[in-house]
């Protein structure tokens, strides 16, 4: 995901089963800069917001960051999928299908869209 100065990033963890959801934000080198414990969540989408700060509360620079999510249920830990909420700037049509050009983010194939609001 791309962090712009002064903006927050919003997304969701797609939980296969209920559990304690944890989201990790990683920098370009793959190091975890922020860990967010979302607490016990039911199966389905667990929404989160990241304010662009690291674990100590310091604002991080604009740039690309990664997301990792996991759920913990007792002694079992499961990797989970993450989704990002973005604004559509434009839509492109090609022989491969529709592509959504997202404001301040990478483009996404329409087949990757889970929800439109």
């Amino acid at each position: 995901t791309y962090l712009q100065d002064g903006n927050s990033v919003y997304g969701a963890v797609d939980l296969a089963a209920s559990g304690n959801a944890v989201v990790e934000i990683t920098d370009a080198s793959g190091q975890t800069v922020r860990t967010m414990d979302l607490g016990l969540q039911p199966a389905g989408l667990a929404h989160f917001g990241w304010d662009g700060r690291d674990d100590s509360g310091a604002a991080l620079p604009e740039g690309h960051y990664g997301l990792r999510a996991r759920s913990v249920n007792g002694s079992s830990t499961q990797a989970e999928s993450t989704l990002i909420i973005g604004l559509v700037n434009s839509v492109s049509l090609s022989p491969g299908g529709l592509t959504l050009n997202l404001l301040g983010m990478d483009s996404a194939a329409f087949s990757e869209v889970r929800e439109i609001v």
Side-chain angles (χ1 to χ4, degrees):
T1 188
Y2 191 78
L3 175 67
Q4 290 182 317
D5 266 346
N7 289 335
S8 294
V9 173
Y10 298 96
V13 177
D14 192 3
L15 296 166
S18 65
N20 189 47
V22 177
V23 176
E24 294 177 336
I25 311 296
T26 60
D27 63 15
S29 67
Q31 296 297 311
T32 300
V33 293
R34 176 81 181 263
T35 301
M36 297 183 296
D37 187 340
L38 306 181
L40 184 61
Q41 300 288 327
L45 297 181
H47 293 272
F48 66 88
W50 174 48
D51 60 3
R53 298 184 178 276
D54 66 13
D55 280 332
S56 69
L60 292 167
E62 186 172 301
H64 287 278
Y65 291 86
L67 296 172
R68 284 191 300 238
R70 67 182 186 278
S71 62
V72 180
N73 192 344
S75 62
S76 173
T77 299
Q78 164 116 11
E80 302 287 357
S81 297
T82 57
L83 308 167
I84 295 297
I85 297 170
L87 295 174
V88 177
N89 190 40
S90 64
V91 178
S92 301
L93 179 59
S94 69
L98 288 174
T99 298
L100 304 179
N101 303 305
L102 303 173
L103 189 62
M105 300 166 68
D106 294 331
S107 297
F110 187 72
S111 61
E112 296 177 297
V113 174
R114 291 282 306 269
E115 182 177 55
I116 296 175
V117 291

